């Protein structure tokens, strides 16, 4: 289909962030930190029993972070502490305020992580609700949403 090999290469469209007011340089990274399959109990949902009994939520977080300095230095101070990210996700999902929509929970998680460390350029949060009550609906593995929020 393509006549030249260079036509097979697609441009890389990566999120960008400004590094504070000290620098006017735009930073691009494809480095990621991922925390997958975090399971928490929470009281989010539209139906009253979801807020009374609670249910399990499974959360994946993918963070775009420039990891070059951490890779070169092997220094925890040059990256994100995974335990701090986990604790922040747990705090938001398990604690109040209890939200009607998992979209709002995901937004809260993303904003909280962006505020946790200024190295995070982009936060993608996926929340799965395994026992979603769908009246008259089919038995299904889960419902879920995924959002992406950028610094700035």
């Amino acid at each position: 289909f393509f006549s030249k090999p260079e036509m097979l290469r697609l441009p890389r469209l990566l999120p960008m962030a400004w590094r504070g007011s000290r620098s006017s340089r735009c930073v691009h990274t494809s480095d990621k930190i991922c925390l997958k399959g975090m399971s928490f109990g929470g009281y989010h949902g539209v139906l009253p029993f979801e807020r009374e009994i609670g249910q399990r939520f499974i959360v994946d977080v993918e963070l775009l972070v420039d990891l070059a300095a951490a890779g070169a230095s092997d220094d925890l101070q040059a990256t994100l502490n995974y335990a701090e990210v986990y604790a922040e996700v747990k705090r938001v999902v398990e604690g109040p305020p209890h939200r009607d929509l998992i979209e709002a929970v995901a937004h809260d998680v993303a904003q909280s992580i962006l505020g946790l460390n200024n190295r995070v350029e982009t936060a993608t949060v996926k929340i799965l609700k395994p026992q979603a009550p769908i009246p008259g609906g089919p038995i299904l593995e889960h419902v879920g949403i995924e959002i992406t929020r950028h610094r700035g």
Side-chain angles (χ1 to χ4, degrees), residues 25-118:
R25 123 186 124 101
C26 194
V27 177
H28 300 277
T29 188
S30 59
D31 300 343
K32 294 178 185 178
I33 291 177
C34 302
L35 284 80
K36 303 273 186 189
M38 295 177 282
S39 183
F40 305 106
Y43 296 88
H44 310 287
V46 174
L47 301 175
F49 77 86
E50 293 180 284
R51 290 175 174 246
E52 294 167 12
I53 299 171
Q55 61 194 301
R56 187 168 63 108
F57 296 91
I58 299 173
V59 183
D60 294 343
V61 173
E62 186 173 281
L63 309 173
L64 290 185
V65 181
D66 185 351
L67 299 173
S73 68
D74 196 27
D75 181 6
L76 179 59
Q77 299 305 313
T79 188
L80 294 178
N81 183 321
Y82 310 151
E84 289 177 3
V85 174
Y86 176 87
E88 192 63 17
V89 175
K90 178 180 173 73
R91 182 190 69 76
V92 173
V93 176
E94 290 187 346
H98 304 300
R99 306 296 226 140
D100 286 345
L101 305 177
I102 57 175
E103 291 86 342
V105 178
H107 175 82
D108 292 347
V109 167
Q111 293 301 321
S112 182
I113 292 171
L114 287 169
L116 185 66
N117 189 307
N118 65 4

Side-chain angles (χ1 to χ4, degrees), residues 106-148:
H107 175 82
D108 292 347
V109 167
Q111 293 301 321
S112 182
I113 292 171
L114 287 169
L116 185 66
N117 189 307
N118 65 4
R119 287 186 176 98
V120 180
E121 297 175 19
T122 301
T124 298
V125 178
K126 179 178 178 180
I127 298 183
L128 304 178
K129 193 173 178 178
Q131 291 90 25
I134 301 177
I139 304 288
L140 47 84
E141 183 179 314
H142 63 261
V143 298
I145 58 92
E146 182 174 310
I147 62 145
T148 300

